[in-house]
Amino acid sequence: MPISTILMDLYRRNIQLYGTIMLKCRSFYLFIIFLVFLHIFIHPLPVLRRVRNAYTYKMKELDNDEMDLFFVSAYYYGNEYSFYENQVSLTFLAPRDAHWDRRKIIVIRSNGSNSVLEPMKVHRATPHNICKFVTITGTVTLKDDLMDLEILVNKNIAGIRYLPADNKQRDMVVCTPPIYNNARWQSILLIAHVYARFNGHLQLYLSNSKPAFFDLLEELKRHTGISVSSFPDFFGNSQLDEIEFGGITVASSDCLSKYKSSASFIAFLEWDEFLIPTRFSSFFDEFANFFESEIFVGLLEYKNSKGISKMVSRPLNIDSIWLNEPVERPYKLKTKKMAQNTSKIYEVDESIDLDSMTRGKFPGAEDLRSSDRQAIVRDIKKKISNFFEIFENFT
């Protein structure tokens, strides 16, 4: 048989074998592609489906989507802020299993003429996996001024309503957990006047409270200068009832972002707890003495009657907060444990009433200077006439 005939026969057989292999491989790859699309159809990729600002809207239900990212608040630091100039700080809420802290989130900022994409540094403020939903914070430093803000997540774009960060210089800001229906108005009345006496600023978060309580807080805002922010109604539906500890971390993160440029010191306490300066006449002098008299002090640690630690810090020293303390301790800075016999947390018990306050019989009164105690009592007495109708609505 001629060699040319043999070669042609081998070529035909190889062509048939090659064609058979290609046909089978193509079918195999098509089957794999089909499985991938089927998986995506059944389990869609996480997207930013709903964005609601906590100051305007209540949170919506998850609709059985376990991967949503919920926007809570955003603060922008403009040119007038020195250390945080052109920075945006955001607070989110997300299911713990979505792992948004490991995903890439892009901020789109606009100055009116063009838009620029900026990667956002994401940090998980919740260090545990006990609760179903966790708090996530994000920061991004922009190159230019901000006019419009959007977030890009998995090819989905959502507009973000941001607020200007607080720029009024404050000696100390006290951040508290959200107030629900279990708060005693007597406690708020007392601690608002105590903080006002020593140049402290009280930040409260209000949710689901009675109208009389809301009216009281509005009067305290006018007379003592406290700040009150609305808090998302996380417990208004069955899907979001596993927010950690009633939303304390969400409130603490929001408070830190709001005041981190304007506050000299920041404390995280319950709304029925308070501190008083025992060595100096103001919170600023009291805390500055501790931070500046000892090298590398980054946090002051107080303990309440239950042995729970509560922290006071410079906002510059901490990036995020969980409950009453930062997730990550300041680098190379130590914690100073405050002696409970001289520097302690005072707690307002349920026995306190208007009569006790006007007679100077309240926690911490015995440790106050006579002039300070009398000034607090005098201020409370002055306000009673303004609050009389509100007090009647509590009974």
Side-chain angles (χ1 to χ4, degrees):
M1 182 180 293
I3 295 177
S4 60
T5 304
I6 295 173
L7 292 175
M8 287 298 295
D9 184 59
L10 289 173
Y11 177 75
R12 290 192 192 94
R13 280 186 292 177
N14 288 338
I15 286 294
Q16 292 175 352
L17 177 62
Y18 178 75
T20 302
I21 293 173
M22 286 296 295
L23 180 63
K24 291 183 178 179
C25 289
R26 185 178 65 178
S27 300
F28 174 74
Y29 284 120
L30 288 174
F31 179 70
I32 294 297
I33 293 172
F34 171 75
L35 290 180
V36 171
F37 277 102
L38 180 64
H39 177 77
I40 293 176
F41 178 77
I42 297 175
H43 304 286
L45 295 176
V47 297
L48 189 65
R49 294 181 182 273
R50 285 172 295 282
V51 175
R52 295 289 184 268
N53 191 297
Y55 295 98
T56 308
Y57 302 98
K58 291 184 179 180
M59 306 298 267
K60 301 298 182 181
E61 292 189 9
L62 284 176
D63 299 329
N64 297 322
D65 190 333
E66 297 296 323
M67 300 305 232
D68 279 354
L69 179 69
F70 290 92
F71 164 65
V72 177
S73 65
Y75 295 99
Y76 173 58
Y77 300 83
N79 293 324
E80 67 272 21
Y81 301 87
S82 56
F83 189 81
Y84 297 101
E85 182 177 349
N86 272 349
Q87 186 181 105
V88 180
S89 296
L90 303 99
T91 301
F92 301 96
L93 188 73
R96 64 167 183 261
D97 299 327
H99 304 299
W100 279 106
D101 51 318
R102 305 176 192 172
R103 301 178 185 274
K104 192 170 185 178
I105 303 176
I106 302 296
V107 166
I108 305 175
R109 59 95 179 158
S110 172
N111 61 5
S113 58
N114 61 348
S115 298
V116 178
L117 275 65
E118 307 272 4
M120 184 169 64
K121 182 181 178 182
V122 181
H123 182 82
R124 178 170 164 169
T126 304
H128 61 79
N129 288 318
I130 299 174
C131 302
K132 185 175 181 179
F133 297 94
V134 298
T135 303
I136 296 173
T137 60
T139 58
V140 58
T141 301
L142 309 176
K143 296 180 178 64
D144 298 308
D145 296 347
L146 176 67
M147 290 183 65
D148 296 310
L149 180 67
E150 296 175 311
I151 283 185
L152 172 64
V153 180
N154 290 354
K155 299 181 180 180
N156 290 267
I157 298 177
I160 293 294
R161 176 177 175 262
Y162 62 89
L163 300 173
D166 185 81
N167 64 354
K168 181 180 179 180
Q169 292 302 308
R170 304 182 187 277
D171 289 353
M172 185 188 73
V173 171
V174 180
C175 304
T176 65
I179 295 176
Y180 296 96
N181 289 327
N182 58 340
R184 296 188 73 248
W185 60 269
Q186 295 91 339
S187 301
I188 305 298
L189 178 66
L190 175 61
I191 65 174
H193 286 87
V194 171
Y195 288 135
R197 175 61 183 174
F198 302 108
N199 295 330
H201 183 74
L202 178 62
Q203 169 67 57
L204 297 176
Y205 293 89
L206 185 64
S207 177
N208 296 341
S209 291
K210 299 176 181 178
F213 199 96
F214 178 81
D215 293 338
L216 173 63
L217 294 182
E218 286 296 307
E219 288 295 326
L220 288 175
K221 284 171 61 176
R222 283 191 285 270
H223 293 284
T224 64
I226 69 171
S227 293
V228 181
S229 300
S230 60
F231 195 72
D233 187 11
F234 292 129
F235 295 93
N237 58 72
S238 59
Q239 295 291 333
L240 290 170
D241 60 353
E242 293 189 39
I243 308 298
E244 56 177 339
F245 307 108
I248 297 178
T249 303
V250 176
S252 297
S253 298
D254 179 271
C255 189
L256 175 61
S257 295
K258 182 177 181 178
Y259 295 102
K260 66 181 181 181
S261 181
S262 60
S264 297
F265 301 99
I266 192 163
F268 301 90
L269 300 169
E270 301 294 327
W271 42 258
D272 57 353
E273 299 175 337
F274 64 92
L275 297 169
I276 60 173
T278 57
R279 296 171 175 81
F280 297 89
S281 58
S282 70
F283 284 121
F284 180 85
D285 293 338
E286 181 88 356
F287 295 133
N289 173 68
F290 290 122
F291 279 93
E292 295 174 6
S293 61
E294 298 185 37
I295 302 177
F296 300 129
V297 170
L299 296 169
L300 303 180
E301 180 181 354
Y302 294 81
K303 287 187 179 295
N304 62 14
S305 61
K306 299 176 183 177
I308 300 175
S309 297
K310 304 297 177 75
M311 298 294 178
V312 175
S313 177
R314 287 192 177 101
L316 287 172
N317 291 343
I318 54 180
D319 294 325
S320 63
I321 194 73
W322 172 68
L323 297 184
N324 311 305
E325 54 185 315
V327 179
E328 298 177 356
R329 297 302 174 106
Y331 178 67
K332 289 186 177 179
L333 296 179
K334 64 181 181 180
T335 299
K336 178 178 177 60
K337 298 183 182 297
M338 308 302 292
Q340 287 185 278
N341 58 337
T342 56
S343 302
K344 61 182 178 180
I345 295 175
Y346 298 91
E347 301 171 49
V348 185
D349 55 38
E350 295 186 359
S351 63
I352 194 71
D353 54 21
L354 279 177
D355 182 61
S356 300
M357 285 187 273
T358 55
R359 290 188 293 110
K361 301 294 184 181
F362 52 83
E366 65 279 2
D367 295 327
L368 288 171
R369 297 176 183 83
S370 176
S371 58
D372 292 328
R373 182 173 61 254
Q374 292 174 6
I376 293 172
V377 170
R378 185 170 57 251
D379 289 341
I380 292 176
K381 286 181 177 179
K382 286 181 180 179
K383 304 303 185 298
I384 289 179
S385 59
N386 298 325
F387 299 161
F388 184 75
E389 293 183 2
I390 298 176
F391 293 152
E392 283 188 329
N393 292 329
F394 280 106
T395 58

